[in-house]
Amino acid sequence: MMSLINTNYSYLETMQISEESPIVGIIVSVYYLGCALGAVIASWLADREGRKLSIFTCLATTSLGNILMFISGLSMQGSSPWKGGALACMFAGRVVMGLGVGGIDAVIPVYSSELSSDGARGRALAQEFQMNIFGLLMAYGINLGVTRALGKECQWAWRIPIVVMQLFPILLMSFISRLPESPRYFMSKEQKDDAQKALEELWSKKDAKSKLDELQEAQDNESGSKVGYKDMLLPGGSQFHPSMITVMGQVNQALTGYGAVSVYGPQIFELLGFGTRKAEYLTLGNYISYFLMMTFAWMSIDVVGRRKLMVWGAAGLAISFTILTIFGGIAQEFPSVPDLAVEIPGSVTLFVATAIFGIGWLATVWLIPTEIYPSTARAQGSAISVIIWGLANFGITLLTPIGFNNLKYWLFLVFAVTNAFAGWWTWKYTPESGGRSFEENQEFFDSAKEDGTWSVKRVDGGKFEQMPRKYDGGRDEEDSEQSPLLRQR
């Protein structure tokens, strides 16, 4: 949404900043700080009052932040700086909206995983992320359409894309009451009858009974083992190891550089030699391809596994950014080279890199934290994931404009190196959590403690380097079943 708003002349005049001002990047990135704080609050609320109430509260908060952004500098005479108040209102709107979205990002993956079977968790979350990309595509498409129709001097060219986004939180708030609460949440509160009713909404009565017994057994094993952030973030804590996997997953995702591509897509195409208008249309085309390629993400994540997708995805991205460095250098340093000789292969490379990121790195790093923690720490683990995502993307989106202005195409080479590191770290330390129950994934950390190593290859004889054998060639019959509700979706 912000990618074209950042270049709208009315918006820049209202905020009293120039297009090259570092404040442009700060307005974009401060949103992620709100996300980090919102994740903590929402995860606490999800454990205390339930996943559904937490989601509803986050949606309402998102809606409020959206309104604050929309009214920033609005007056009867048109757009006004409000004597500096417009910028303050925009900052407030970005932070408040971040609180809501960060909370949603923390609770939804947990909610989704707790409603899905062991063999379908990845597919369910990857499908949700495909819809996330549809939202990104819709936001940019509306932005581009009104900018072309109204021009960059018109205030409504930047206000309309903001207010249209109100549609989503309002629609979600209107029907969230019809969704089932997480049975695992009910069991954590010793509300067994409510847990059974929730399971019966998802499964047949026979299956619901067996799954209730499984939840009861898991709850009995975890009872009395209360986990706090101290146990998760301090060395020696009971959940420190899974927390470091969560932290590094989000750090490495930020290092892939795709937070920058999402926000500054048109500028990247301009570095390849395209004019402004062509760059904007190519960005739209890249988002359309991104959305379609996400189909391969949910088709493969529960078959290939999280770990392989991430390792090979990082390798593909490192190669892609190296190629982009070469084409960017030719476009900037060798004007005698025909434009199409750089623009076509450079664009294809960026489209391919976007697809690789979507398949390998978008859903995986959000899914793993929901699979490697016990129930008593799952919401907090997801919150840690969002906090690190927020802080890492705050840094990336803040520094990317500076990088473009100073490093130009060499910024691509920086991302090639960081992707190589992300791939190595994942191969070395991230276990394969797909195809296993929440409880089975706990065995990795118990074995790592016994073996005195975090290296996946050396823990339990390398058992967690790949999916369980019963998943070779696809999911087994029992675990590949989705609940009727998820199938209908």
Side-chain angles (χ1 to χ4, degrees):
M1 185 178 68
M2 294 299 294
S3 56
L4 289 179
I5 290 176
N6 289 337
T7 60
N8 182 281
Y9 304 138
S10 170
Y11 167 78
L12 295 170
E13 183 180 347
T14 302
M15 300 302 141
Q16 296 183 304
I17 54 178
S18 67
E19 191 172 343
E20 294 76 26
S21 171
I23 295 177
V24 172
I26 295 172
I27 292 173
V28 172
S29 56
V30 75
Y31 158 83
Y32 293 106
L33 295 182
C35 288
L37 180 58
V40 176
I41 298 170
S43 65
W44 171 81
L45 187 61
D47 277 343
R48 182 182 174 87
E49 302 295 338
R51 310 327 191 197
K52 286 173 59 178
L53 179 63
S54 181
I55 293 170
F56 183 90
T57 303
C58 292
L59 290 168
T61 305
T62 299
S63 181
L64 174 60
N66 185 274
I67 291 171
L68 290 174
M69 290 172 62
F70 171 72
I71 66 171
S72 297
L74 188 64
S75 71
M76 297 298 292
Q77 291 75 38
S79 199
S80 165
W82 283 1
K83 298 181 179 179
L87 182 60
C89 188
M90 177 58 71
F91 270 121
R94 294 290 290 169
V95 172
V96 172
M97 187 173 178
L99 288 171
V101 175
I104 291 170
D105 285 343
V107 180
I108 287 290
V110 173
Y111 180 65
S112 171
S113 290
E114 291 181 341
L115 294 184
S116 303
S117 65
D118 296 339
R121 292 193 303 262
R123 186 169 78 173
L125 193 62
Q127 286 174 334
E128 288 160 20
F129 268 97
Q130 186 173 33
M131 293 301 101
N132 180 289
I133 301 307
F134 179 75
L136 182 150
L137 168 61
M138 186 174 180
Y140 186 84
I142 292 172
N143 208 331
L144 182 60
V146 295
T147 297
R148 286 286 159 262
L150 303 177
K152 291 195 173 186
E153 293 80 12
C154 178
Q155 65 162 325
W156 297 108
W158 67 268
R159 295 190 190 277
I160 288 175
I162 292 174
V163 76
V164 165
M165 295 303 109
Q166 280 282 29
L167 174 68
F168 294 101
I170 290 173
L171 276 176
L172 288 167
M173 283 189 288
S174 69
F175 67 72
I176 193 170
S177 63
R178 299 180 61 187
L179 299 178
E181 180 56 271
S182 165
R184 284 184 180 264
Y185 163 74
F186 282 134
M187 292 300 291
S188 72
K189 297 297 181 181
E190 298 182 354
Q191 297 173 231
K192 191 171 181 178
D193 290 343
D194 291 328
Q196 183 166 353
K197 290 177 184 176
L199 285 168
E200 288 176 356
E201 288 188 59
L202 296 164
W203 308 90
S204 66
K205 285 197 173 184
K206 180 182 176 182
D207 290 339
K209 178 65 172 66
S210 64
K211 291 183 181 297
L212 183 67
D213 293 338
E214 292 173 11
L215 290 181
Q216 183 65 65
E217 182 180 354
Q219 182 63 26
D220 291 341
N221 292 335
E222 294 176 4
S223 61
S225 57
K226 189 172 182 180
V227 178
Y229 284 106
K230 181 176 70 172
D231 304 304
M232 305 172 79
L233 298 174
L234 295 181
S238 62
Q239 299 302 317
F240 180 69
H241 187 177
S243 293
M244 288 305 99
I245 291 173
T246 298
V247 167
M248 288 306 299
Q250 288 293 359
V251 168
N252 287 333
Q253 189 198 57
L255 291 177
T256 63
Y258 256 78
V261 172
S262 294
V263 178
Y264 301 103
Q267 291 91 323
I268 293 176
F269 280 107
E270 287 178 27
L271 275 177
L272 293 173
F274 289 99
T276 300
R277 179 163 293 194
K278 282 185 179 179
E280 290 171 350
Y281 283 122
L282 281 166
T283 301
L284 179 63
N286 194 25
Y287 288 155
I288 294 172
S289 173
Y290 193 4
F291 168 69
L292 295 175
M293 289 299 103
M294 279 300 295
T295 303
F296 293 100
W298 60 259
M299 289 175 64
S300 61
I301 194 169
D302 285 322
V303 177
V304 177
R306 295 82 165 113
R307 178 181 154 89
K308 281 185 181 178
L309 287 179
M310 294 168 73
V311 171
W312 286 108
L317 286 169
I319 294 170
S320 297
F321 276 113
T322 301
I323 295 172
L324 286 171
T325 304
I326 295 171
F327 286 127
I330 294 173
Q332 298 294 316
E333 306 296 340
F334 300 95
S336 60
V337 175
D339 292 343
L340 290 178
V342 173
E343 293 172 351
I344 293 176
S347 299
V348 170
T349 302
L350 190 54
F351 273 58
V352 169
T354 303
I356 291 173
F357 173 80
I359 295 168
W361 277 89
L362 182 59
T364 47
V365 297
W366 294 97
L367 178 62
I368 290 172
T370 70
E371 299 179 313
I372 61 177
Y373 288 101
S375 296
T376 50
R378 193 166 297 123
Q380 298 100 305
S382 189
I384 290 173
S385 182
V386 177
I387 291 168
I388 301 303
W389 168 79
L391 295 176
N393 280 280
F394 170 78
I396 291 294
T397 54
L398 184 63
L399 294 175
T400 295
I402 300 171
F404 279 136
N405 292 334
N406 293 280
L407 297 177
K408 303 298 183 184
Y409 58 87
W410 289 110
L411 184 62
F412 296 141
L413 188 60
V414 173
F415 286 139
V417 173
T418 55
N419 271 288
F421 169 80
W424 170 81
W425 200 97
T426 302
W427 172 81
K428 183 77 173 176
Y429 297 113
T430 302
E432 177 54 66
S433 57
R436 296 179 171 94
S437 69
F438 297 132
E439 290 71 33
E440 286 172 331
N441 280 321
Q442 294 302 303
E443 295 175 11
F444 171 79
F445 302 102
D446 294 336
S447 297
K449 193 172 182 179
E450 292 175 7
D451 296 337
T453 180
W454 285 13
S455 174
V456 177
K457 193 176 184 67
R458 295 169 59 191
V459 174
D460 202 1
K463 174 182 173 182
F464 289 85
E465 285 187 288
Q466 57 190 357
M467 302 268 281
R469 287 189 177 180
K470 63 180 179 179
Y471 282 76
D472 285 352
R475 297 181 301 276
D476 69 302
E477 183 178 348
E478 178 184 355
D479 286 342
S480 65
E481 290 182 357
Q482 279 189 312
S483 73
L485 178 67
L486 293 175
R487 283 203 303 273
Q488 287 171 16
R489 275 182 20 205

